[in-house]
Amino acid sequence: MQKLRDTLEQYGRWQELRFLVDRMEAYLETDFSTALENAKSLLESIGKQICESKGVALEPSSSINGVLKRAFVALGYSGDDMVRQVSSALATIGQQVGELRNQISPTSHGKPLEELRNRNDKVDLLTREFLIDSTLVVAVFLIRAFETRQIAGAPVEAAAEAAEPLRYEDNSEFNDYWDETIGDVVMGDAYSYPASEVLFAVDAQAYAAECKAYAESSADEDPGEGE
């Protein structure tokens, strides 16, 4: 969960969510139903904050799937077919987390004692890891997408339009760094894509902003000879 912790630390406004990450980690092996409740709360909180910040209305009874889909709309992911597919896949992960939480949570709808005792047996270790890892990927993606779009204002957009288009293959060092930091974006059992390719494909502006931040950070760490 360190990638998510680093992201919360990098963008200070989100640090209030650290307690949810702490709970997810604390209960992952001992009481997965509790870890899953906090994973669902984490995704909902991020989605609702994005919608509120962008002025996008939510229905009071919105499911987690509905919240995440509206969050992607708020971020501008609505006009391109590929973007719609990616955002829909990520929102579906959130929906599955919510549905499983309703099935195994001890506080959801009340359960007989036998079912309470065996609630965590419904999910094997591999599935647990997949669900939590997917939650982390979605959470980091949403926060970074929101923050890079906050940073990139109108003057930057105008300059970007006038500049030479950024090419993915020209930034192999950053691509390797981003892939190692975020990991692959997994969709179902058959599809896995490098995080840098996904970012470049769905949000070239965010990709450019992260490239610039990486280059500036690298320059600060390596000031060069004679300094």
Side-chain angles (χ1 to χ4, degrees), residues 112-162:
L113 296 179
E114 182 71 17
E115 191 171 346
L116 283 174
R117 282 192 294 269
N118 299 325
R119 65 186 183 277
N120 289 310
D121 295 341
K122 295 181 178 180
V123 188
D124 61 33
L125 180 60
L126 186 62
T127 303
R128 295 182 190 189
E129 292 178 350
F130 172 76
L131 289 171
I132 295 301
D133 288 347
S134 298
T135 297
L136 299 177
V137 168
V138 176
V140 170
F141 182 89
L142 284 171
I143 291 173
R144 285 183 175 272
F146 174 79
E147 292 296 338
T148 52
R149 284 169 175 262
Q150 290 288 100
I151 294 172
V156 176
E157 291 177 2
E161 290 177 359

Side-chain angles (χ1 to χ4, degrees), residues 1 20-36 38-39 104 120 123-133 135-136:
M1 299 190 187
L20 294 173
V21 182
D22 292 339
R23 289 179 180 176
M24 288 168 57
E25 191 166 36
Y27 290 103
L28 182 58
E29 296 183 3
T30 59
D31 188 352
F32 183 67
S33 63
T34 300
L36 198 64
N38 286 277
I104 70 174
N120 289 310
V123 188
D124 61 33
L125 180 60
L126 186 62
T127 303
R128 295 182 190 189
E129 292 178 350
F130 172 76
L131 289 171
I132 295 301
D133 288 347
T135 297
L136 299 177

Side-chain angles (χ1 to χ4, degrees), residues 7 12 38 53-54 96 103 110 123 158 160 169 174 182 210 213:
T7 300
N38 286 277
S53 298
K54 296 293 188 179
Q96 294 303 313
Q103 293 176 24
V123 188
E169 58 270 20
F174 166 75
I182 304 300
E210 290 289 351

